[in-house]
Amino acid sequence: MHPLGECAWTAVLGERVDPLVHAEVVELAARLELAALPGVREIVPGYATLTVFFDPATANAEALRGWLMDAGREVGRPGGREVGRSGTTIRIPVRYDGPDLDFVAARTGLTRSEVIERHTARDYRVYLLGFAPGFAYLGDLDPRLILPRRAEPRTRVPAGSVAIAGAQTAVYPLGTP
């Protein structure tokens, strides 16, 4: 448990992007929401962390820290009560005709059709939102599609564009760099 200034705690549940660790983050966030502890202002899940912002005038910082540590030990335990593990599936129609499809195919050694097949063959977990409003970091990508970020980022990516960066994918909700 780490303080983030005087009005927030960050609970670290792991050290890497991992669906099981992230499920624990989501579970801890759900438990905290259900607990409705006084003074909690915002709950911000990350890949392997949960940051809790609180109002120091109405929350007991040390009690909140203790609650987070106790609850953090309970999440993900076999036979434990699972909270917050279900999710909503959102289907996003995609037209694979962008300027980088041939580049991705060439870099991965796959055909265009194989890239599309592999990219659409799985459900993706929303690990977190960030960078721009509505920008969801999605994973885990098929290992054959993993590519590094571009050496030179684009100055503008159109809304609706599908991106691959490392082991993640995303759909740009609006035009951004």
Side-chain angles (χ1 to χ4, degrees), residues 68-106:
L68 287 166
M69 290 179 71
D70 290 345
R73 284 190 282 272
E74 294 295 316
V75 297
R77 289 178 61 185
R81 182 175 62 107
E82 289 187 356
V83 178
R85 296 278 177 135
S86 65
T88 301
T89 299
I90 299 171
R91 301 228 179 264
I92 302 172
V94 176
R95 186 176 66 228
Y96 288 88
D97 64 354
D100 293 332
L101 184 55
D102 288 329
F103 173 80
V104 171

Side-chain angles (χ1 to χ4, degrees), residues 100-111 115 144-145 147 164:
D100 293 332
L101 184 55
D102 288 329
F103 173 80
V104 171
R107 287 289 304 266
T108 59
L110 300 169
T111 66
V115 168
R144 289 286 307 270
L145 297 178
L147 292 170
I164 290 175

Side-chain angles (χ1 to χ4, degrees), residues 2-174:
H2 303 286
L4 183 64
E6 296 179 2
C7 300
W9 292 110
T10 297
V12 179
L13 282 80
E15 298 296 325
R16 64 187 192 288
V17 179
D18 177 282
L20 296 175
V21 171
H22 188 259
E24 292 178 358
V25 169
V26 170
E27 182 180 338
L28 182 58
R31 286 175 185 245
L32 182 57
E33 283 183 30
L34 285 173
L37 300 176
V40 172
R41 286 187 167 163
E42 188 173 7
I43 302 167
V44 183
Y47 289 111
T49 61
L50 182 72
T51 298
V52 181
F53 293 89
F54 59 88
D55 177 355
T58 56
N60 178 321
E62 285 307 312
L64 177 58
R65 178 180 181 272
W67 187 96
L68 287 166
M69 290 179 71
D70 290 345
R73 284 190 282 272
E74 294 295 316
V75 297
R77 289 178 61 185
R81 182 175 62 107
E82 289 187 356
V83 178
R85 296 278 177 135
S86 65
T88 301
T89 299
I90 299 171
R91 301 228 179 264
I92 302 172
V94 176
R95 186 176 66 228
Y96 288 88
D97 64 354
D100 293 332
L101 184 55
D102 288 329
F103 173 80
V104 171
R107 287 289 304 266
T108 59
L110 300 169
T111 66
R112 291 169 57 105
S113 294
E114 289 170 327
V115 168
I116 295 166
E117 243 176 72
R118 287 176 181 269
H119 194 260
T120 59
R122 56 179 57 205
D123 291 337
Y124 295 99
R125 168 185 293 271
V126 175
Y127 277 104
L128 56 95
L129 299 174
F131 167 63
F135 189 95
Y137 290 83
L138 309 171
D140 291 308
L141 197 60
D142 181 299
R144 289 286 307 270
L145 297 178
I146 295 174
L147 292 170
R149 291 183 165 284
R150 294 175 53 88
E152 293 181 33
R154 289 202 168 94
T155 57
R156 195 87 176 144
V157 178
S161 295
V162 175
I164 290 175
Q168 295 184 31
T169 188
V171 179
Y172 280 75
L174 46 108

